[in-house]
Amino acid sequence: MHTILGANGQIAEELTRYLHDNITHDVRLVSRNPRKVHDTDQLVAANLLDADATADAVKGSDIAYLTVGLPIDSTLWEQQFPVMMANTIAACQKHDTKLVFFDNTYMYPRTSTPQVENTEFRPVGRKATVRAHIADMLLEQMRRETIEAVICRAPEFYGPGKTQSLTNSAIFDRIRQGKRPLVPVSAHTKRTLIWTPDASRGMGLIGNTPDAYGHTWHLPVDPQRLTYQEMVAIADEVTDRDINYITIPEKLFALGGLINQSVKEASELLPRYRDDNIFDSTKFATRFPDFAVTTYRQGITQLLTEKSNK
């Protein structure tokens, strides 16, 4: 049995498809209100803030994948993510279940230095501090060898379906709607984005590779980093339109944050857009050379030519 903790999101849904098509039909989807992706999926309604419910959800699983997400709310993150991680670790330890943790890069330094798997955490801001803390919680147990686990880390998303990210909402969604894209902070810094189906396929592959455990892995990305200006240029070609973008400076986000809580929460992440973002997935590419990474051109073309990605 393979159990996905935090089902329903785009990453979890794509992971479910990967497991069903390549590994097993014995897939258990766990969330407060889980929904089937395939007829064979087993549904378990559980709150990961409840230790007993989490343990019951994991029981009988060979591998558990922690893909849970929360709204961008610092207080919510501080209150819930550490509890969910503690409960998940305890459940996997109790049932001798392997753990695959889907992580992000918020805790990395806000610099143009390439990010690799052993990059030191230097969290700035409440959300980054929480992400560093829960990663450290698992890393400590991995060092103590109390759990067989692996960390799969991804940069900012872009992609189809329910993919949620600043880039998707401000750039590609607006282009599809015939609106001018809104570029955060700078159109001229290199961005590393991960295509969400690639993130899920990569995580499924790592989770089912025995010698991958005990390590952190950067999930696969197109090594040709593009600027937002270059992404919009591809969109020009794909849509056969002359698309003009608007760059939104940090000061304007700060003003918006005074009246909109969501904008205020997102503002913590904006300094990351000042400099090049180079997320390096060479380790993955070396270990899994046959994995076909979706290029930016392929991804952008799919996003802008599909009738609907909802």
Side-chain angles (χ1 to χ4, degrees), residues 74 105-111 121-132 265 267-272 274:
S74 296
T105 63
Y106 287 7
M107 73 292 289
Y108 281 158
R110 299 171 167 183
T111 68
F121 294 172
R122 293 183 184 174
V124 178
R126 295 170 67 186
K127 286 179 282 294
T129 299
V130 171
R131 296 303 306 197
E265 291 286 351
S267 295
E268 178 185 315
L269 309 177
L270 294 179
R272 299 178 179 278
R274 297 174 191 158

Short mmCIF file of all heavy atoms in Angstrom, two decimals, residues 74 105-111 121-132 265 267-272 274:
data_model
loop_
_atom_site.label_atom_id
_atom_site.label_comp_id
_atom_site.label_asym_id
_atom_site.label_seq_id
_atom_site.Cartn_x
_atom_site.Cartn_y
_atom_site.Cartn_z
N SER A 74 1.04 32.75 7.64
CA SER A 74 2.16 32.46 8.53
C SER A 74 1.72 31.85 9.85
O SER A 74 2.33 30.89 10.35
CB SER A 74 2.96 33.74 8.80
OG SER A 74 3.54 34.24 7.61
N THR A 105 11.72 25.36 -1.09
CA THR A 105 13.05 26.00 -0.98
C THR A 105 13.03 27.28 -0.16
O THR A 105 13.99 28.04 -0.19
CB THR A 105 13.60 26.33 -2.38
OG1 THR A 105 12.72 27.29 -3.01
CG2 THR A 105 13.70 25.10 -3.25
N TYR A 106 11.94 27.53 0.56
CA TYR A 106 11.83 28.82 1.26
C TYR A 106 12.98 29.07 2.23
O TYR A 106 13.31 30.22 2.52
CB TYR A 106 10.52 28.89 2.04
CG TYR A 106 9.28 29.07 1.21
CD1 TYR A 106 9.30 29.02 -0.19
CD2 TYR A 106 8.05 29.28 1.82
CE1 TYR A 106 8.15 29.18 -0.93
CE2 TYR A 106 6.88 29.44 1.07
CZ TYR A 106 6.95 29.38 -0.30
OH TYR A 106 5.80 29.54 -1.03
N MET A 107 13.56 28.01 2.76
CA MET A 107 14.61 28.16 3.78
C MET A 107 15.99 28.44 3.19
O MET A 107 16.92 28.76 3.92
CB MET A 107 14.68 26.90 4.66
CG MET A 107 15.29 25.69 3.97
SD MET A 107 14.29 24.99 2.62
CE MET A 107 12.95 24.26 3.56
N TYR A 108 16.12 28.39 1.88
CA TYR A 108 17.41 28.64 1.26
C TYR A 108 17.75 30.14 1.27
O TYR A 108 16.85 30.99 1.34
CB TYR A 108 17.41 28.15 -0.19
CG TYR A 108 17.59 26.65 -0.37
CD1 TYR A 108 17.17 26.03 -1.53
CD2 TYR A 108 18.19 25.86 0.60
CE1 TYR A 108 17.34 24.66 -1.73
CE2 TYR A 108 18.37 24.50 0.42
CZ TYR A 108 17.94 23.90 -0.75
OH TYR A 108 18.12 22.56 -0.94
N PRO A 109 19.04 30.48 1.16
CA PRO A 109 19.43 31.90 1.11
C PRO A 109 18.80 32.61 -0.09
O PRO A 109 18.60 32.02 -1.15
CB PRO A 109 20.96 31.84 0.95
CG PRO A 109 21.35 30.52 1.50
CD PRO A 109 20.22 29.58 1.16
N ARG A 110 18.50 33.89 0.09
CA ARG A 110 17.90 34.70 -0.97
C ARG A 110 18.99 35.32 -1.83
O ARG A 110 19.12 36.52 -1.92
CB ARG A 110 17.05 35.80 -0.36
CG ARG A 110 15.89 35.32 0.49
CD ARG A 110 15.26 36.50 1.22
NE ARG A 110 13.97 36.19 1.81
CZ ARG A 110 13.21 37.08 2.45
NH1 ARG A 110 13.64 38.34 2.57
NH2 ARG A 110 12.06 36.74 2.96
N THR A 111 19.78 34.49 -2.48
CA THR A 111 20.91 34.96 -3.28
C THR A 111 20.89 34.27 -4.64
O THR A 111 20.09 33.36 -4.88
CB THR A 111 22.25 34.65 -2.58
OG1 THR A 111 22.45 33.22 -2.57
CG2 THR A 111 22.26 35.18 -1.15
N PHE A 121 20.64 26.08 5.30
CA PHE A 121 19.41 26.82 5.51
C PHE A 121 19.72 28.19 6.12
O PHE A 121 20.45 28.29 7.09
CB PHE A 121 18.47 26.08 6.47
CG PHE A 121 17.93 24.77 5.95
CD1 PHE A 121 17.20 23.93 6.79
CD2 PHE A 121 18.14 24.37 4.64
CE1 PHE A 121 16.70 22.73 6.32
CE2 PHE A 121 17.64 23.17 4.16
CZ PHE A 121 16.92 22.35 5.01
N ARG A 122 19.13 29.24 5.55
CA ARG A 122 19.22 30.59 6.10
C ARG A 122 17.85 31.25 5.98
O ARG A 122 17.65 32.17 5.18
CB ARG A 122 20.29 31.41 5.37
CG ARG A 122 21.72 30.91 5.61
CD ARG A 122 22.73 31.80 4.93
NE ARG A 122 24.08 31.29 5.06
CZ ARG A 122 25.15 31.80 4.47
NH1 ARG A 122 25.00 32.88 3.68
NH2 ARG A 122 26.35 31.28 4.64
N PRO A 123 16.89 30.77 6.75
CA PRO A 123 15.52 31.27 6.59
C PRO A 123 15.37 32.72 7.01
O PRO A 123 15.92 33.16 8.01
CB PRO A 123 14.72 30.36 7.52
CG PRO A 123 15.70 29.89 8.55
CD PRO A 123 17.01 29.77 7.82
N VAL A 124 14.62 33.46 6.21
CA VAL A 124 14.27 34.85 6.51
C VAL A 124 12.75 34.96 6.39
O VAL A 124 12.19 34.72 5.32
CB VAL A 124 14.95 35.83 5.54
CG1 VAL A 124 14.50 37.27 5.86
CG2 VAL A 124 16.46 35.71 5.61
N GLY A 125 12.10 35.29 7.49
CA GLY A 125 10.65 35.40 7.48
C GLY A 125 9.99 34.22 8.17
O GLY A 125 10.60 33.16 8.37
N ARG A 126 8.74 34.40 8.52
CA ARG A 126 8.03 33.39 9.32
C ARG A 126 7.80 32.09 8.55
O ARG A 126 8.00 30.99 9.09
CB ARG A 126 6.70 33.96 9.80
CG ARG A 126 6.84 35.12 10.76
CD ARG A 126 5.53 35.82 11.03
NE ARG A 126 4.59 34.94 11.76
CZ ARG A 126 3.33 35.28 12.02
NH1 ARG A 126 2.84 36.43 11.58
NH2 ARG A 126 2.55 34.45 12.69
N LYS A 127 7.39 32.19 7.31
CA LYS A 127 7.10 30.97 6.55
C LYS A 127 8.38 30.20 6.26
O LYS A 127 8.41 28.97 6.35
CB LYS A 127 6.37 31.33 5.26
CG LYS A 127 4.91 31.72 5.48
CD LYS A 127 4.19 32.09 4.21
CE LYS A 127 4.53 33.48 3.75
NZ LYS A 127 4.04 34.53 4.66
N ALA A 128 9.45 30.91 5.93
CA ALA A 128 10.73 30.24 5.69
C ALA A 128 11.24 29.56 6.95
O ALA A 128 11.79 28.46 6.90
CB ALA A 128 11.76 31.26 5.19
N THR A 129 11.03 30.19 8.10
CA THR A 129 11.46 29.61 9.37
C THR A 129 10.71 28.33 9.67
O THR A 129 11.30 27.33 10.14
CB THR A 129 11.26 30.63 10.51
OG1 THR A 129 12.06 31.79 10.24
CG2 THR A 129 11.68 30.04 11.86
N VAL A 130 9.42 28.31 9.39
CA VAL A 130 8.63 27.10 9.59
C VAL A 130 9.12 25.98 8.69
O VAL A 130 9.28 24.83 9.12
CB VAL A 130 7.13 27.36 9.34
CG1 VAL A 130 6.34 26.05 9.34
CG2 VAL A 130 6.56 28.31 10.38
N ARG A 131 9.36 26.29 7.42
CA ARG A 131 9.80 25.26 6.48
C ARG A 131 11.16 24.70 6.88
O ARG A 131 11.41 23.49 6.78
CB ARG A 131 9.84 25.82 5.06
CG ARG A 131 8.50 26.23 4.48
CD ARG A 131 7.46 25.14 4.45
NE ARG A 131 7.90 23.92 3.78
CZ ARG A 131 7.07 22.97 3.35
NH1 ARG A 131 5.76 23.11 3.52
NH2 ARG A 131 7.52 21.88 2.77
N ALA A 132 12.06 25.56 7.36
CA ALA A 132 13.36 25.07 7.84
C ALA A 132 13.17 24.15 9.03
O ALA A 132 13.82 23.10 9.15
CB ALA A 132 14.26 26.25 8.20
N GLU A 265 0.94 38.42 2.91
CA GLU A 265 1.60 37.13 3.12
C GLU A 265 2.58 36.82 1.99
O GLU A 265 3.67 36.31 2.22
CB GLU A 265 0.55 36.02 3.23
CG GLU A 265 -0.31 36.08 4.48
CD GLU A 265 0.43 35.64 5.73
OE1 GLU A 265 1.56 35.14 5.62
OE2 GLU A 265 -0.13 35.80 6.83
N SER A 267 4.20 38.91 0.24
CA SER A 267 5.30 39.88 0.21
C SER A 267 6.59 39.32 0.82
O SER A 267 7.69 39.75 0.45
CB SER A 267 4.89 41.16 0.94
OG SER A 267 3.83 41.80 0.25
N GLU A 268 6.45 38.38 1.76
CA GLU A 268 7.64 37.77 2.37
C GLU A 268 8.52 37.10 1.32
O GLU A 268 9.74 37.02 1.48
CB GLU A 268 7.21 36.74 3.41
CG GLU A 268 8.38 36.02 4.07
CD GLU A 268 7.93 34.92 5.02
OE1 GLU A 268 7.00 35.15 5.82
OE2 GLU A 268 8.51 33.82 4.96
N LEU A 269 7.93 36.63 0.24
CA LEU A 269 8.66 35.87 -0.77
C LEU A 269 9.29 36.76 -1.84
O LEU A 269 10.14 36.30 -2.61
CB LEU A 269 7.72 34.87 -1.43
CG LEU A 269 6.90 33.98 -0.49
CD1 LEU A 269 5.97 33.10 -1.28
CD2 LEU A 269 7.82 33.16 0.40
N LEU A 270 8.90 38.03 -1.90
CA LEU A 270 9.32 38.87 -3.02
C LEU A 270 10.82 39.11 -3.13
O LEU A 270 11.33 39.23 -4.26
CB LEU A 270 8.58 40.22 -2.95
CG LEU A 270 7.07 40.13 -3.17
CD1 LEU A 270 6.45 41.51 -3.05
CD2 LEU A 270 6.75 39.53 -4.53
N PRO A 271 11.57 39.22 -2.03
CA PRO A 271 13.01 39.41 -2.19
C PRO A 271 13.68 38.32 -3.02
O PRO A 271 14.75 38.56 -3.60
CB PRO A 271 13.52 39.39 -0.74
CG PRO A 271 12.37 39.91 0.06
CD PRO A 271 11.17 39.32 -0.61
N ARG A 272 13.06 37.16 -3.13
CA ARG A 272 13.64 36.07 -3.92
C ARG A 272 13.60 36.37 -5.42
O ARG A 272 14.27 35.69 -6.20
CB ARG A 272 12.86 34.78 -3.65
CG ARG A 272 12.93 34.35 -2.20
CD ARG A 272 12.12 33.10 -1.91
NE ARG A 272 12.24 32.73 -0.51
CZ ARG A 272 13.27 32.06 0.01
NH1 ARG A 272 14.24 31.66 -0.78
NH2 ARG A 272 13.32 31.79 1.29
N ARG A 274 14.43 39.33 -6.69
CA ARG A 274 15.39 40.38 -7.04
C ARG A 274 16.60 39.83 -7.79
O ARG A 274 17.19 40.50 -8.63
CB ARG A 274 15.92 41.06 -5.76
CG ARG A 274 14.92 41.78 -4.91
CD ARG A 274 15.59 42.25 -3.64
NE ARG A 274 14.65 42.75 -2.64
CZ ARG A 274 14.92 42.83 -1.35
NH1 ARG A 274 16.10 42.44 -0.90
NH2 ARG A 274 14.01 43.30 -0.51
#
